[in-house]
Amino acid sequence: MAIRQDYVLKKGINAIVSGKLPIGGLSSSAAVTTAYLMALCDANDIDVSKLDLIQYSHWVETQFIGLKNGILDQSANILSMDNQLLVMDCLSNEHQLVSKGKAMPDFDVVVVYSGISKQLISTDFNNRTDELRVAGWLLLDAKGEGYTPALEDVKLRQISSKIYDEFKDQLPERFRKRAAHYYTEQARVEKGAQAWAECDLHTFGQLMFESGESSFYQYESGIPEMKSIFYILKDCPGVYGARPSGAGYRGAVIGLIDPAYKEQIKAKIDEIYPARHPEYKDSYAVNFCKTADGAHLINDLVVE
């Protein structure tokens, strides 16, 4: 339906969906949607730009599924390149790729799946988005310039941190927390990009930990299982940083680690997590990954 807004599709596809990582909390819906769209375009000889592909994929999630999300997941799927950090401005659609310097320590990505998979639409995800809009509306109202836009048109991205700092104490606690998460997260992104450019994984990782705790206690999006994994990783030697994925409501916690500590990290998770959450002892999983390029077509694929 997304592509058919602009193109005529004369051919369909027969598809097999397969992957090595668990489904849930790893932008899997955006990834599968992107794969379908790319396959349909390829089958119909339709040439679309990466930015158009992002918008088509985003349309599916917002207009068809009903999520109130942005374009970050789709952008990460489509624009990312191996050994480079994607820095995305989701308002202007501008992005940059920050290369990994030669002095960057070796690292792996750990993905610890909680055993919990459920549709994001069934969580409080959309409520949190609405709460951010309310926080922005209240900030503009407190500023008192005589005009406050409709709630659906409010974007914190268009409200400066200076306005937030000046009027945050006038916000009710719930909305103050949501805004605090947003503005501190914006600052962490800028600091993180700088740390990456300087090959400083320790600072980058610390910012990931701070992001995770802000997600749990300011944005209040965490569930007990995700918090357990997060703090296990936070206490493990060899973990540079970690934060929840899947908006914290289900799925996985991801982290950057020193590969030399893989066995110790897995052993610590295997020791603590199933004992603390026995209902997921047969479904949780620990995966170690390397970075790679974003979504692309593969010719002559051999399925084992």
Side-chain angles (χ1 to χ4, degrees):
M1 292 175 66
I3 300 175
R4 289 174 64 182
Q5 296 175 88
D6 299 312
Y7 298 95
V8 175
L9 298 179
K10 297 181 179 180
K11 297 179 181 178
I13 58 172
N14 293 319
I16 297 174
V17 178
S18 179
K20 296 181 179 179
L21 294 176
I23 295 176
L26 295 174
S27 303
S28 51
S29 61
V32 170
T33 299
T34 297
Y36 283 147
L37 292 172
M38 292 178 69
L40 282 168
C41 287
D42 185 59
N44 288 274
D45 296 319
I46 297 172
D47 185 19
V48 297
S49 69
K50 289 185 175 182
L51 291 180
D52 284 341
L53 188 59
I54 290 169
Q55 295 303 325
Y56 286 136
S57 183
H58 183 242
W59 184 93
V60 173
E61 294 220 334
T62 57
Q63 303 303 311
F64 185 73
I65 298 175
L67 282 176
K68 297 179 181 179
N69 63 351
I71 61 170
L72 181 60
D73 288 1
Q74 295 82 5
S75 299
N77 285 333
I78 295 166
L79 298 174
S80 293
M81 298 294 292
D82 191 17
N83 290 324
Q84 299 185 64
L85 180 72
L86 173 67
V87 182
M88 185 77 192
D89 186 327
C90 295
L91 182 64
S92 67
N93 290 343
E94 296 176 346
H95 74 280
Q96 61 175 317
L97 293 167
V98 184
S99 297
K100 182 178 77 172
K102 293 182 179 179
M104 181 77 78
D106 190 22
F107 67 87
D108 280 354
V109 179
V110 63
V111 179
V112 186
Y113 174 55
S114 63
I116 303 172
S117 292
K118 58 183 176 180
Q119 293 182 340
L120 199 55
I121 193 68
S122 66
T123 70
D124 272 344
F125 180 88
N126 280 356
N127 291 337
R128 291 296 181 273
T129 302
D130 289 338
E131 288 166 355
L132 286 175
R133 293 187 188 279
V134 172
W137 192 95
L138 291 171
L139 286 171
L140 292 174
D141 187 58
K143 190 170 183 289
E145 291 192 344
Y147 168 74
T148 306
L151 186 62
E152 61 269 20
D153 296 327
V154 174
K155 293 181 174 65
L156 283 179
R157 180 67 174 78
Q158 296 173 323
I159 302 172
S160 71
S161 58
K162 182 178 179 180
I163 293 174
Y164 163 72
D165 289 335
E166 184 175 355
F167 298 104
K168 63 184 179 182
D169 291 338
Q170 297 184 34
L171 299 179
E173 182 181 12
R174 176 169 48 155
F175 302 112
R176 186 171 65 251
K177 283 184 174 181
R178 306 301 181 260
H181 172 69
Y182 173 82
Y183 286 105
T184 57
E185 193 79 339
Q186 290 287 97
R188 281 187 288 270
V189 168
E190 294 180 5
K191 292 177 182 177
Q194 183 65 33
W196 180 273
E198 295 173 354
C199 302
D200 185 357
L201 271 191
H202 293 282
T203 297
F204 189 91
Q206 182 59 39
L207 291 165
M208 290 181 69
F209 283 134
E210 291 175 10
S211 174
E213 293 191 319
S214 181
S215 296
F216 290 146
Y217 302 112
Q218 300 280 22
Y219 206 55
E220 296 182 308
S221 63
I223 58 174
E225 295 81 4
M226 300 286 278
K227 290 180 180 178
S228 290
I229 297 170
F230 175 82
Y231 284 108
I232 293 169
L233 289 174
K234 196 169 188 286
D235 290 339
C236 276
V239 178
Y240 293 112
R243 74 174 315 281
S245 185
Y249 294 108
R250 80 287 189 267
V253 175
I254 59 174
L256 296 184
I257 68 156
D258 182 338
Y261 288 83
K262 284 198 294 188
E263 291 185 5
Q264 291 174 245
I265 292 168
K266 186 178 186 308
K268 181 61 69 174
I269 295 167
D270 289 342
E271 174 191 354
I272 299 175
Y273 185 74
R276 191 172 294 171
H277 304 283
E279 64 272 35
Y280 301 113
K281 64 182 178 63
D282 296 324
S283 55
Y284 86 97
V286 182
N287 296 274
F288 296 97
C289 316
K290 292 290 187 182
T291 60
D293 290 340
H296 56 280
L297 294 171
I298 302 174
N299 296 318
D300 302 322
L301 177 65
V302 176
V303 180
E304 297 179 356

